[in-house]
Amino acid sequence: MANIYPRIYFDNQLVPKDEATLHVASSAVLYGLSVYTVFHVTVENGNYYAFRLKDHFKRLLDSCRIIGIDTFGQDWSYDAFEADMKELLQANSPTKNVFVRASFHVNELLPGTRSRGLKTSLSAFVYDADPIVPTDGARLKTSVWRRTPDYSIPSRAKVNGAYVNSVLARQDAIDSGYDDCILLDSSGHVAELSAANIFIVRNGTLITPDTNTDILEGINRRTVIELADTLDIPVAQRSIDLTELYIADEVFITGTSAFLTPVLVVDAREIKAPEDAITKTLSDAYYDALLSPKSPYQTLL
Ligand code: PMP
Protein backbone atom coordinates (compact mmCIF):
# COMPACT_ATOMS: atom_id res chain seq x y z
CA MET A 1 0.00 0.00 0.00
CA ALA A 2 1.17 3.50 -0.85
CA ASN A 3 2.88 5.61 1.78
CA ILE A 4 0.70 8.48 3.05
CA TYR A 5 2.61 11.58 4.20
CA PRO A 6 2.20 12.60 7.87
CA ARG A 7 0.30 15.93 7.63
CA ILE A 8 -3.26 15.93 6.30
CA TYR A 9 -5.51 18.83 5.47
CA PHE A 10 -8.80 18.20 7.24
CA ASP A 11 -11.68 20.51 8.11
CA ASN A 12 -9.79 23.75 7.33
CA GLN A 13 -6.54 22.84 9.07
CA LEU A 14 -3.50 20.62 8.95
CA VAL A 15 -3.64 17.73 11.39
CA PRO A 16 -1.50 14.62 12.05
CA LYS A 17 -2.43 11.67 9.80
CA ASP A 18 -4.24 9.69 12.51
CA GLU A 19 -6.49 12.61 13.46
CA ALA A 20 -7.99 13.03 9.98
CA THR A 21 -11.03 10.86 10.66
CA LEU A 22 -14.69 11.16 9.71
CA HIS A 23 -17.56 10.26 11.98
CA VAL A 24 -19.05 6.80 11.42
CA ALA A 25 -22.51 8.42 11.10
CA SER A 26 -21.47 11.03 8.49
CA SER A 27 -23.13 11.03 5.07
CA ALA A 28 -19.73 10.39 3.50
CA VAL A 29 -19.47 7.10 5.38
CA LEU A 30 -23.14 6.14 5.23
CA TYR A 31 -23.74 6.88 1.54
CA GLY A 32 -20.31 7.51 -0.01
CA LEU A 33 -21.46 11.13 -0.29
CA SER A 34 -18.23 12.88 -1.11
CA VAL A 35 -16.54 13.91 -4.32
CA TYR A 36 -12.84 13.75 -4.99
CA THR A 37 -9.98 14.16 -7.39
CA VAL A 38 -6.37 13.04 -7.54
CA PHE A 39 -3.70 15.23 -9.09
CA HIS A 40 -0.01 14.70 -9.82
CA VAL A 41 2.73 16.84 -8.34
CA THR A 42 6.21 16.96 -9.85
CA VAL A 43 8.91 17.79 -7.33
CA GLU A 44 11.96 19.54 -8.74
CA ASN A 45 14.61 21.60 -6.88
CA GLY A 46 12.34 21.86 -3.85
CA ASN A 47 9.47 23.28 -5.93
CA TYR A 48 6.06 21.68 -6.36
CA TYR A 49 4.36 21.68 -9.75
CA ALA A 50 0.72 20.55 -9.75
CA PHE A 51 -0.62 19.21 -13.06
CA ARG A 52 -3.77 20.94 -14.35
CA LEU A 53 -4.83 22.02 -10.86
CA LYS A 54 -7.54 24.39 -12.11
CA ASP A 55 -9.15 21.60 -14.12
CA HIS A 56 -9.17 19.36 -11.06
CA PHE A 57 -10.82 22.08 -8.98
CA LYS A 58 -13.39 22.70 -11.72
CA ARG A 59 -14.22 18.98 -11.84
CA LEU A 60 -14.73 18.95 -8.05
CA LEU A 61 -17.15 21.87 -8.43
CA ASP A 62 -18.95 20.18 -11.35
CA SER A 63 -19.23 16.92 -9.42
CA CYS A 64 -20.79 18.75 -6.45
CA ARG A 65 -23.20 20.51 -8.78
CA ILE A 66 -24.31 17.26 -10.40
CA ILE A 67 -24.76 15.47 -7.09
CA GLY A 68 -26.44 18.49 -5.49
CA ILE A 69 -23.84 19.16 -2.80
CA ASP A 70 -24.49 22.90 -2.85
CA THR A 71 -22.45 24.19 0.09
CA PHE A 72 -19.10 23.53 -1.61
CA GLY A 73 -19.23 26.26 -4.27
CA GLN A 74 -20.30 28.81 -1.65
CA ASP A 75 -17.38 28.14 0.67
CA TRP A 76 -14.47 27.60 -1.70
CA SER A 77 -12.73 29.61 -4.35
CA TYR A 78 -9.97 28.30 -6.59
CA ASP A 79 -7.47 30.66 -4.94
CA ALA A 80 -8.30 29.34 -1.47
CA PHE A 81 -8.00 25.76 -2.75
CA GLU A 82 -4.61 26.46 -4.36
CA ALA A 83 -3.35 28.11 -1.15
CA ASP A 84 -4.44 25.09 0.92
CA MET A 85 -2.74 22.65 -1.45
CA LYS A 86 0.43 24.71 -1.22
CA GLU A 87 0.31 24.67 2.58
CA LEU A 88 -0.25 20.90 2.54
CA LEU A 89 2.74 20.22 0.29
CA GLN A 90 5.02 22.53 2.21
CA ALA A 91 4.02 20.88 5.49
CA ASN A 92 4.96 17.45 4.11
CA SER A 93 7.99 18.48 2.00
CA PRO A 94 8.04 15.48 -0.36
CA THR A 95 11.34 15.02 -2.18
CA LYS A 96 9.93 12.84 -4.97
CA ASN A 97 6.82 13.08 -7.16
CA VAL A 98 3.54 12.51 -5.35
CA PHE A 99 -0.21 12.37 -5.81
CA VAL A 100 -2.63 14.52 -3.82
CA ARG A 101 -6.14 13.25 -3.23
CA ALA A 102 -8.55 16.08 -2.40
CA SER A 103 -12.11 15.31 -1.31
CA PHE A 104 -15.21 17.18 -0.26
CA HIS A 105 -17.07 15.10 2.27
CA VAL A 106 -20.60 15.72 3.39
CA ASN A 107 -19.78 15.81 7.06
CA GLU A 108 -23.15 15.85 8.76
CA LEU A 109 -24.52 13.18 11.06
CA LEU A 110 -27.60 11.26 10.01
CA PRO A 111 -29.22 13.86 7.74
CA GLY A 112 -30.90 11.08 5.76
CA THR A 113 -30.63 10.56 2.02
CA ARG A 114 -30.29 14.13 0.80
CA SER A 115 -27.48 16.41 -0.31
CA ARG A 116 -28.42 20.11 -0.14
CA GLY A 117 -27.61 22.56 2.64
CA LEU A 118 -25.35 20.11 4.44
CA LYS A 119 -21.95 20.84 5.98
CA THR A 120 -18.96 19.84 3.84
CA SER A 121 -15.31 19.58 4.72
CA LEU A 122 -12.30 19.57 2.47
CA SER A 123 -9.70 16.94 3.08
CA ALA A 124 -6.49 16.36 1.18
CA PHE A 125 -3.57 14.04 1.64
CA VAL A 126 -0.28 13.41 -0.11
CA TYR A 127 0.88 9.94 -1.09
CA ASP A 128 3.51 8.23 -3.22
CA ALA A 129 2.88 8.48 -6.96
CA ASP A 130 2.75 4.71 -7.48
CA PRO A 131 0.90 3.70 -10.67
CA ILE A 132 -2.13 1.39 -10.40
CA VAL A 133 -1.01 -0.70 -13.39
CA PRO A 134 2.47 -1.69 -14.67
CA THR A 135 3.36 1.34 -16.81
CA ASP A 136 5.43 -0.72 -19.26
CA GLY A 137 2.25 -2.50 -20.35
CA ALA A 138 -1.10 -3.53 -18.90
CA ARG A 139 -3.21 -6.66 -19.40
CA LEU A 140 -6.96 -6.03 -19.39
CA LYS A 141 -10.06 -8.18 -19.05
CA THR A 142 -13.55 -7.15 -20.08
CA SER A 143 -15.72 -7.13 -17.00
CA VAL A 144 -19.03 -8.89 -16.54
CA TRP A 145 -20.06 -5.74 -14.61
CA ARG A 146 -21.26 -2.78 -16.71
CA ARG A 147 -20.31 0.89 -16.15
CA THR A 148 -22.92 2.59 -13.99
CA PRO A 149 -24.96 4.61 -16.49
CA ASP A 150 -25.38 8.38 -16.33
CA TYR A 151 -29.05 7.89 -15.51
CA SER A 152 -28.17 5.97 -12.31
CA ILE A 153 -24.99 7.41 -10.80
CA PRO A 154 -23.45 9.93 -13.21
CA SER A 155 -19.97 8.79 -14.29
CA ARG A 156 -19.08 12.39 -15.09
CA ALA A 157 -19.29 13.19 -11.36
CA LYS A 158 -16.36 11.79 -9.45
CA VAL A 159 -18.35 10.68 -6.45
CA ASN A 160 -16.87 8.22 -3.98
CA GLY A 161 -19.93 5.97 -3.63
CA ALA A 162 -19.86 5.18 -7.36
CA TYR A 163 -16.49 3.47 -7.01
CA VAL A 164 -18.07 0.25 -5.77
CA ASN A 165 -18.67 -0.31 -9.50
CA SER A 166 -14.92 0.05 -10.19
CA VAL A 167 -13.98 -2.16 -7.25
CA LEU A 168 -16.28 -4.98 -8.42
CA ALA A 169 -14.88 -4.90 -11.94
CA ARG A 170 -11.21 -4.50 -11.08
CA GLN A 171 -11.22 -7.15 -8.35
CA ASP A 172 -12.78 -9.56 -10.83
CA ALA A 173 -9.99 -8.77 -13.35
CA ILE A 174 -7.29 -9.22 -10.70
CA ASP A 175 -8.87 -12.51 -9.57
CA SER A 176 -8.54 -13.68 -13.18
CA GLY A 177 -4.85 -12.74 -13.36
CA TYR A 178 -5.22 -9.43 -15.24
CA ASP A 179 -4.06 -5.93 -14.20
CA ASP A 180 -7.34 -4.11 -14.70
CA CYS A 181 -10.79 -4.32 -16.23
CA ILE A 182 -12.56 -2.85 -19.24
CA LEU A 183 -16.06 -1.70 -18.38
CA LEU A 184 -18.64 -1.64 -21.15
CA ASP A 185 -21.55 0.77 -21.00
CA SER A 186 -25.12 -0.46 -20.70
CA SER A 187 -25.40 -0.81 -24.51
CA GLY A 188 -22.23 -2.90 -24.75
CA HIS A 189 -19.82 -0.25 -26.02
CA VAL A 190 -16.38 0.22 -24.51
CA ALA A 191 -16.49 2.83 -21.75
CA GLU A 192 -13.34 2.91 -19.60
CA LEU A 193 -11.31 1.12 -16.92
CA SER A 194 -11.76 1.14 -13.16
CA ALA A 195 -9.92 4.48 -12.93
CA ALA A 196 -8.59 5.29 -16.42
CA ASN A 197 -9.80 6.21 -19.90
CA ILE A 198 -9.03 4.15 -22.97
CA PHE A 199 -7.75 4.95 -26.48
CA ILE A 200 -7.22 2.81 -29.56
CA VAL A 201 -5.40 3.49 -32.82
CA ARG A 202 -6.84 2.17 -36.08
CA ASN A 203 -5.32 3.02 -39.45
CA GLY A 204 -3.51 6.09 -38.09
CA THR A 205 -6.53 7.56 -36.26
CA LEU A 206 -6.65 7.93 -32.50
CA ILE A 207 -10.09 6.88 -31.25
CA THR A 208 -11.57 7.20 -27.76
CA PRO A 209 -15.11 6.72 -26.43
CA ASP A 210 -17.06 9.97 -26.61
CA THR A 211 -18.23 11.67 -23.45
CA ASN A 212 -21.75 10.24 -23.82
CA THR A 213 -20.44 6.71 -23.23
CA ASP A 214 -20.72 6.84 -19.42
CA ILE A 215 -17.08 7.74 -18.86
CA LEU A 216 -15.43 10.05 -16.41
CA GLU A 217 -14.23 13.06 -18.39
CA GLY A 218 -10.60 12.40 -17.57
CA ILE A 219 -8.16 15.28 -17.37
CA ASN A 220 -5.37 13.13 -18.82
CA ARG A 221 -7.73 12.02 -21.61
CA ARG A 222 -8.24 15.68 -22.47
CA THR A 223 -4.47 16.26 -22.33
CA VAL A 224 -3.80 13.46 -24.82
CA ILE A 225 -6.49 14.76 -27.20
CA GLU A 226 -4.93 18.24 -27.03
CA LEU A 227 -1.44 16.83 -27.63
CA ALA A 228 -2.66 14.74 -30.57
CA ASP A 229 -4.17 17.89 -32.11
CA THR A 230 -0.86 19.69 -31.74
CA LEU A 231 0.96 16.74 -33.33
CA ASP A 232 -1.54 16.56 -36.24
CA ILE A 233 -2.70 13.07 -35.26
CA PRO A 234 -6.35 12.67 -36.32
CA VAL A 235 -8.67 12.09 -33.34
CA ALA A 236 -12.19 10.62 -33.31
CA GLN A 237 -14.43 10.57 -30.25
CA ARG A 238 -17.08 7.93 -30.93
CA SER A 239 -18.56 4.63 -29.75
CA ILE A 240 -16.10 1.74 -29.79
CA ASP A 241 -17.20 -1.88 -30.13
CA LEU A 242 -15.39 -4.42 -27.97
CA THR A 243 -14.21 -6.28 -31.07
CA GLU A 244 -12.47 -3.12 -32.28
CA LEU A 245 -10.16 -3.45 -29.28
CA TYR A 246 -9.23 -6.96 -30.41
CA ILE A 247 -8.15 -5.80 -33.87
CA ALA A 248 -6.79 -2.35 -32.95
CA ASP A 249 -3.25 -1.50 -34.06
CA GLU A 250 -2.58 0.01 -30.64
CA VAL A 251 -4.42 0.38 -27.35
CA PHE A 252 -3.40 2.56 -24.41
CA ILE A 253 -4.94 4.03 -21.28
CA THR A 254 -4.67 7.36 -19.48
CA GLY A 255 -5.38 8.58 -15.99
CA THR A 256 -3.61 10.34 -13.14
CA SER A 257 -2.80 7.04 -11.42
CA ALA A 258 -2.35 5.06 -14.66
CA PHE A 259 -0.26 7.77 -16.39
CA LEU A 260 -0.14 6.84 -20.10
CA THR A 261 0.23 3.08 -20.28
CA PRO A 262 0.26 0.86 -23.37
CA VAL A 263 -2.08 -2.14 -23.32
CA LEU A 264 -0.44 -5.47 -24.20
CA VAL A 265 -3.36 -7.88 -23.87
CA VAL A 266 -7.15 -7.61 -24.00
CA ASP A 267 -9.12 -10.75 -23.11
CA ALA A 268 -6.19 -13.08 -23.93
CA ARG A 269 -5.60 -11.39 -27.30
CA GLU A 270 -2.22 -9.74 -27.78
CA ILE A 271 -2.08 -6.19 -29.14
CA LYS A 272 0.92 -5.90 -31.44
CA ALA A 273 1.90 -2.23 -31.77
CA PRO A 274 4.07 -1.39 -34.78
CA GLU A 275 7.57 0.07 -34.30
CA ASP A 276 6.59 3.65 -35.17
CA ALA A 277 3.62 3.49 -32.86
CA ILE A 278 1.46 6.56 -32.24
CA THR A 279 1.36 5.50 -28.57
CA LYS A 280 5.09 6.15 -28.32
CA THR A 281 4.82 9.62 -29.89
CA LEU A 282 1.96 10.57 -27.58
CA SER A 283 3.59 9.00 -24.55
CA ASP A 284 6.76 11.12 -25.05
CA ALA A 285 4.64 14.28 -25.40
CA TYR A 286 2.47 13.32 -22.42
CA TYR A 287 5.34 12.65 -20.00
CA ASP A 288 6.97 15.88 -21.08
CA ALA A 289 3.73 17.78 -20.36
CA LEU A 290 3.27 15.98 -17.02
CA LEU A 291 6.80 16.16 -15.67
CA SER A 292 8.37 19.30 -17.08
CA PRO A 293 8.12 22.37 -14.81
CA LYS A 294 8.01 24.46 -17.98
CA SER A 295 4.86 22.75 -19.26
CA PRO A 296 1.92 25.19 -19.57
CA TYR A 297 -0.22 22.72 -17.61
CA GLN A 298 1.75 23.22 -14.36
CA THR A 299 0.83 25.38 -11.38
CA LEU A 300 3.77 26.22 -9.14
CA LEU A 301 2.71 25.65 -5.54
N1 PMP B 1 -12.13 7.10 -15.23
C1 PMP B 1 -12.31 6.89 -13.92
C2 PMP B 1 -13.48 6.09 -13.47
C3 PMP B 1 -11.41 7.41 -13.00
O1 PMP B 1 -11.58 7.21 -11.68
C4 PMP B 1 -10.29 8.13 -13.44
C5 PMP B 1 -9.27 8.66 -12.46
N2 PMP B 1 -9.59 9.91 -11.97
C6 PMP B 1 -10.15 8.36 -14.83
C7 PMP B 1 -11.09 7.84 -15.70
C8 PMP B 1 -9.05 9.22 -15.37
O2 PMP B 1 -9.27 10.56 -15.00
P1 PMP B 1 -8.07 11.59 -14.83
O3 PMP B 1 -7.33 11.57 -16.12
O4 PMP B 1 -8.72 12.89 -14.57
O5 PMP B 1 -7.23 11.11 -13.69
Side-chain angles (χ1 to χ4, degrees), residues 59 147 158 163 192 194-197 216 218-220 254-256:
R59 189 169 64 190
R147 188 75 180 97
K158 203 161 165 53
Y163 276 80
E192 60 180 344
S194 61
N197 295 111
L216 180 79
I219 290 167
N220 295 274
T254 62
T256 301

Side-chain angles (χ1 to χ4, degrees), residues 52-99:
R52 303 197 74 153
L53 191 63
K54 264 195 179 137
D55 297 299
H56 281 280
F57 182 74
K58 169 79 166 61
R59 189 169 64 190
L60 280 174
L61 278 182
D62 289 348
S63 296
C64 285
R65 194 173 171 80
I66 293 169
I67 301 300
I69 300 171
D70 61 353
T71 48
F72 169 50
Q74 294 162 19
D75 300 346
W76 289 93
S77 66
Y78 171 74
D79 289 345
F81 178 72
E82 187 185 307
D84 290 333
M85 295 305 106
K86 185 175 183 162
E87 200 189 338
L88 172 71
L89 282 157
Q90 287 178 350
N92 286 293
S93 313
T95 51
K96 56 181 185 174
N97 298 351
V98 287
F99 291 137

Side-chain angles (χ1 to χ4, degrees), residues 36-39 51 56 59 132 147 155 158 163 166 183 192-198 214-223 254-259 286:
Y36 81 98
T37 197
V38 178
F39 60 89
F51 188 65
H56 281 280
R59 189 169 64 190
I132 50 169
R147 188 75 180 97
S155 337
K158 203 161 165 53
Y163 276 80
S166 291
L183 284 151
E192 60 180 344
L193 278 73
S194 61
N197 295 111
I198 191 160
D214 295 326
I215 61 167
L216 180 79
E217 296 183 0
I219 290 167
N220 295 274
R221 172 187 181 278
R222 199 183 315 154
T223 306
T254 62
T256 301
S257 315
F259 297 91
Y286 168 79

